[in-house]
Amino acid sequence: MDSAERSIREDLAALYRLVHLMDIDHRIYNHHSARIPGDAEHILINPFGLLQDEITAAALIKVDRNGNAADDQDTSTSQAGAIIHWAIYDARDDVNCIVHHHSPAAVAVSTLEQGLLPLSQGAMQFYQRIGYHEYEGMVFSDDEKPRLAASLGPHRLMLLRHHGALICGRSIMESYVLTDDLEKACRSQLLAMQSGGSILLPDPAVCEHTAQQFERLPQPRGEHRDWPAALRRLERMGIDYKGFDPVPR
Ligand SMILES: [Zn+2]
């Protein structure tokens, strides 16, 4: 394993632990992935059956477009995971890390006809910058790939109606930041709706202005301050995501 792959493995394993700390993981049924530098035929993803807080750098597997592991014939990722992630990687050269989760807040917002509203500063960064994908049943067929890619369009985020969220970052760090921001935006919207009060919708021009302000921040998002801070938290908590020891399968 070269140093570039080792570094991606450590960061992706850290991402699993950070998503777990957000308390939005759904047992063994979510999957986050990253491209491997210099290898267009495989991605790094979790083996089907591990909890997110069991993921270490060594536990991640390289899988092909069918979800089969490159180095272990007995291991695979979930079928839906392979289809969803490869649908986006094959359509979007700029995407290098994908988070997929079923947080109750994201699922709830995905069921609303109006979807995510620009009610908070964090939500305004996604103003008219989010895709929606209609529910077709569990994702078990390659036939859905072009529709998944079309639903995402040019955006970084997609809400899968009645299912969950897909966050498509240019880097692992960016996917981490956008995952956290989306989750908080969804929770804020639901709290506002649950309050029963009249909701103020900001001026569309202000929403667009704010979204553009976010786009002028250092890009990709998260690499400069957020990611080192997140890793410090994992270190403080004694979470050994860098482990290369054998893990349960
Ligand atoms: Zn799912």
Side-chain angles (χ1 to χ4, degrees), residues 158-220:
M158 175 157 66
L159 287 178
L160 306 167
R161 300 263 190 206
H162 315 285
H163 177 182
L166 205 67
I167 297 92
C168 305
R170 286 165 287 190
S171 67
I172 292 170
M173 300 79 172
E174 182 166 73
S175 287
Y176 159 67
V177 167
L178 297 183
T179 297
D180 191 44
D181 284 357
L182 174 67
E183 178 62 16
K184 290 181 168 67
C186 289
R187 291 184 191 182
S188 296
Q189 177 174 331
L190 295 171
L191 281 171
M193 296 174 85
Q194 285 162 9
S195 76
S198 300
I199 295 175
L200 290 172
L201 275 174
D203 185 318
V206 172
C207 297
E208 177 59 30
H209 169 66
T210 307
Q212 291 183 15
Q213 286 180 314
F214 272 94
E215 289 170 348
R216 288 195 291 272
L217 295 174
Q219 305 288 331

Side-chain angles (χ1 to χ4, degrees), residues 17 33 235:
R17 301 308 187 96
S33 68
E235 296 285 339

